[in-house]
Amino acid sequence: MLKKVFASAVFGVEASTITVEVNVDKGVGYHLVGLPDNAIKESNYRIAAALQNNGYRIPGKKITINMAPADLRKEGSAYDLTLAIGILSASNQIKAENLEDYLIMGELSLDGSLQPFKGALPIAVKAREEGFKNIILPIQNAKEAAIVDDLNVFGVENIMQVINHFDNGEPLEQTIINTREEFFKNLDFPEFDFADVKGQESIKRCMEIAAAGGHNIILIGPPGSGKTMLAKRLPSILPPMTLHEALETTKIHSVVGRVKAHTGLMAQRPFRSPHHTISNVALVGGGSYPQPGEISLSHNGVLFLDELPEFKREVLEVMRQPLEDREVTISRAKFTVTYPSSFMLVASMNPSPSGYFNDPDAPITSSPAEMQRYMGKISGPLLDRIDIHIEVTPVPFEKLSDERTGESSVDIRKRVTKAREKQTHRFKGLENIHYNAQMNTKQIRTYCKLEEASLQLLKSAMERLNLSARAYDRILKVSRTIADLEGSNDILGAHISEAIQYRSLDRDGWLG
């Protein structure tokens, strides 16, 4: 007897429906076809033990299972439940009248209990698109899948619940989430707050500008000046994620199994801080069966690279194109996968190998050759893609011992959100452009027009600092954001001169 059960395979951040055809016939043998990987090939041992421990069995007949489409590679252990229900149904051990209405997935333990799997959200999205009414999956994945409306999500703990549902008509408990309520409930502020930072007013100002326009930023300063402390607080002043952004971000984290079971929808912007020993595949994504990298996991959030020159040069170079295109395309001989990667890059570095550059009181100084080698690890094209360069100086004792608290993240966030709303209104007719940092050359010419005096100021700065054409665009973008923060429609000379200050790595004496 032939039975069809439906499952799904995740490919990139999208899912494809898989039809599992189970045929039980006279003879002996167990044949699993349709490009399954080793985890799926081993499933018959898990299924046999799970069924036996729950009073059922794999029949001693010829069982042929095809996972269609047969030319698409399937991987992972999430098909155990699909295969088990297909075998029970095809061998008439259970009645399953309306299997075609269900998408069924889950990994089986030997006692019949279910383990969670990766990619529940893209699978649920695809199930709704394909017209499935119900989805059965492990209870740990239920909240994540229940984000998708118009789909009945049933989280189960044991295979017996599924068997009793089909065989005896026992109802399964539906997981229902009010996505909007859940989302807005979790929009609280992160644990790190700018109120904890003593002094560093100019750096806080820089962070506010970076957050308001979505600009990349690099902090340069000696050890202990507070670079990491400031970077960790940046997500607390970014505007809250929209529902669309939250869904997009959760989808990527779902594919790599990083969504917490009790949260469902991610409401906080991601903050990723990989170690400098990271490989280029781990950073941008890839592998023989591609997975998203750190730049995609920080989509709609912040990617923090601490001690930038310690990263391998080729690792930093692979990031150049995704920084510009805001997506990364991984190509293999048989397929191509595109992951979104619209993130804010925050980098920090010491000004020299010893950490103390141009400091006469420093215990150690570096030779010019050492300085050149250290700074040479970061290429000019990468630095050009970072809009704001700022020097961080150590906080004097008087400021550290000051009892007064600084301005809180909540207050800064209000100004940032107001500036972002101005930008959203400005770019509402443009697709994929929501804030100033995303503007291309054409939009810069349209929205960053300068009066004559400002133009002359910028011209003389460009010539004196020997800035590239890309740096020219960066200065205009940053000055547009400074104007937005002040509520000004025009870019004034003061906005231009402040933006020029934030290109400190372009000055003589840094990179020669």
Side-chain angles (χ1 to χ4, degrees), residues 6-9 78-79 81-82 103-107 117 123 136-138:
F6 296 95
S8 200
Y79 301 98
L81 185 60
T82 324
L103 195 137
I104 303 171
M105 291 194 81
E107 178 190 329
F117 60 89
I123 285 169
I136 296 175
L137 71 183

Side-chain angles (χ1 to χ4, degrees), residues 228 257 269:
T228 308
R269 290 188 181 273

Side-chain angles (χ1 to χ4, degrees), residues 96-107:
E97 302 301 326
N98 52 345
L99 265 180
E100 65 282 351
D101 292 341
Y102 289 83
L103 195 137
I104 303 171
M105 291 194 81
E107 178 190 329

Side-chain angles (χ1 to χ4, degrees), residues 351-420:
S352 65
S354 65
Y356 303 94
F357 171 58
N358 282 351
D359 184 353
D361 305 324
I364 322 157
T365 55
S366 303
S367 70
E370 284 177 318
M371 281 287 302
Q372 198 65 43
R373 195 162 56 246
Y374 183 73
M375 298 299 283
K377 290 185 181 178
I378 309 164
S379 69
L382 179 67
L383 278 176
D384 269 353
R385 285 170 169 82
I386 299 175
D387 303 355
I388 298 175
H389 311 160
I390 187 74
E391 290 174 62
V392 185
T393 50
V395 182
F397 178 77
E398 296 74 38
K399 289 266 179 76
L400 280 176
S401 55
D402 195 344
E403 288 298 311
R404 289 174 300 178
T405 54
E407 191 178 19
S408 74
S409 291
V410 182
D411 296 331
I412 302 172
R413 191 186 212 181
K414 282 174 187 162
R415 292 198 296 272
V416 168
T417 307
K418 201 172 175 186
R420 279 281 180 105

Side-chain angles (χ1 to χ4, degrees), residues 17-274:
T17 301
I18 303 294
T19 307
V20 177
E21 302 168 327
V22 184
N23 191 60
V24 177
D25 209 348
K26 288 175 185 167
V28 179
Y30 183 94
H31 308 285
L32 181 58
V33 295
L35 285 186
D37 72 348
N38 285 339
I40 302 172
K41 286 174 187 169
E42 291 168 353
S43 64
N44 61 322
Y45 300 110
R46 290 191 295 273
I47 293 166
L51 293 183
Q52 196 169 354
N53 288 328
N54 286 279
Y56 293 86
R57 62 189 174 81
I58 291 183
K61 294 184 177 181
K62 184 183 177 184
I63 300 171
T64 307
I65 301 171
N66 177 41
M67 302 179 82
D71 61 343
L72 181 71
R73 185 176 172 85
K74 292 84 184 174
E75 54 183 45
S77 51
Y79 301 98
D80 293 2
L81 185 60
T82 324
L83 299 173
I85 295 299
I87 290 167
L88 290 174
S89 175
S91 59
N92 283 327
Q93 293 183 65
I94 64 167
K95 299 192 298 287
E97 302 301 326
N98 52 345
L99 265 180
E100 65 282 351
D101 292 341
Y102 289 83
L103 195 137
I104 303 171
M105 291 194 81
E107 178 190 329
L108 280 172
S109 292
L110 300 188
D111 62 353
S113 59
L114 290 171
Q115 301 295 329
F117 60 89
K118 297 173 183 176
L121 181 56
I123 285 169
V125 169
K126 188 67 176 176
R128 183 185 62 183
E129 273 177 31
E130 300 265 317
F132 288 97
K133 297 185 181 72
N134 315 292
I135 181 168
I136 296 175
L137 71 183
I139 191 109
Q140 297 96 319
N141 294 117
K143 265 202 159 184
E144 195 183 319
I147 294 167
V148 180
D149 50 9
D150 300 329
L151 184 71
N152 302 323
V153 177
F154 302 107
V156 292
E157 292 177 9
N158 194 286
I159 190 171
M160 281 310 296
Q161 291 173 262
V162 186
I163 291 170
N164 291 336
H165 173 67
F166 285 116
D167 204 25
N168 307 327
E170 286 183 18
L172 292 171
E173 191 179 335
Q174 189 179 343
T175 305
I176 298 171
I177 284 184
N178 183 330
T179 312
R180 289 184 177 279
E181 189 185 301
E182 190 84 2
F183 174 65
F184 290 113
K185 185 179 77 183
N186 289 324
L187 273 182
D188 54 350
F189 294 99
E191 53 189 310
F192 301 113
D193 196 305
F194 268 104
D196 309 331
V197 180
K198 304 282 186 186
Q200 305 289 29
E201 300 308 324
S202 61
I203 319 299
K204 285 186 193 171
R205 165 73 175 164
C206 258
M207 289 290 197
E208 186 179 330
I209 294 166
H215 302 289
N216 302 324
I217 182 170
I218 184 165
L219 309 169
I220 312 127
S225 55
K227 302 185 295 292
T228 308
M229 184 184 187
L230 286 155
K232 281 187 175 170
R233 279 154 181 73
L234 183 62
S236 69
I237 62 168
L238 286 170
M241 280 207 282
T242 62
L243 203 52
H244 174 70
E245 284 178 326
L247 274 165
E248 216 176 18
T249 309
T250 309
K251 217 173 177 184
I252 298 166
H253 284 251
S254 170
V255 169
V256 289
R258 295 271 170 85
V259 178
K260 296 182 182 76
H262 61 278
T263 54
L265 193 65
M266 287 176 66
Q268 298 292 349
R269 290 188 181 273
F271 179 86
R272 307 289 302 176
S273 180

Side-chain angles (χ1 to χ4, degrees), residues 304-436:
F304 177 47
L305 301 183
D306 203 0
E307 303 304 341
L308 191 69
E310 300 300 334
F311 284 80
K312 292 193 281 288
R313 185 169 175 136
E314 68 268 21
V315 171
L316 296 177
E317 294 306 295
V318 293
M319 207 168 57
R320 273 161 53 177
Q321 185 245 345
L323 270 171
E324 206 81 349
D325 298 347
R326 302 199 173 267
E327 63 179 27
V328 59
T329 302
I330 295 152
S331 298
R332 295 288 175 267
K334 291 184 179 175
F335 51 79
T336 300
V337 183
T338 300
Y339 293 115
S341 60
S342 181
F343 59 92
M344 259 184 81
L345 174 65
V346 181
S348 78
M349 60 182 280
N350 295 328
S352 65
S354 65
Y356 303 94
F357 171 58
N358 282 351
D359 184 353
D361 305 324
I364 322 157
T365 55
S366 303
S367 70
E370 284 177 318
M371 281 287 302
Q372 198 65 43
R373 195 162 56 246
Y374 183 73
M375 298 299 283
K377 290 185 181 178
I378 309 164
S379 69
L382 179 67
L383 278 176
D384 269 353
R385 285 170 169 82
I386 299 175
D387 303 355
I388 298 175
H389 311 160
I390 187 74
E391 290 174 62
V392 185
T393 50
V395 182
F397 178 77
E398 296 74 38
K399 289 266 179 76
L400 280 176
S401 55
D402 195 344
E403 288 298 311
R404 289 174 300 178
T405 54
E407 191 178 19
S408 74
S409 291
V410 182
D411 296 331
I412 302 172
R413 191 186 212 181
K414 282 174 187 162
R415 292 198 296 272
V416 168
T417 307
K418 201 172 175 186
R420 279 281 180 105
E421 281 165 2
K422 201 174 168 71
Q423 292 164 47
T424 306
H425 178 71
R426 179 184 300 132
F427 303 127
K428 66 171 183 259
L430 300 168
E431 203 182 338
N432 298 329
I433 295 187
H434 308 290
Y435 46 85
N436 291 336

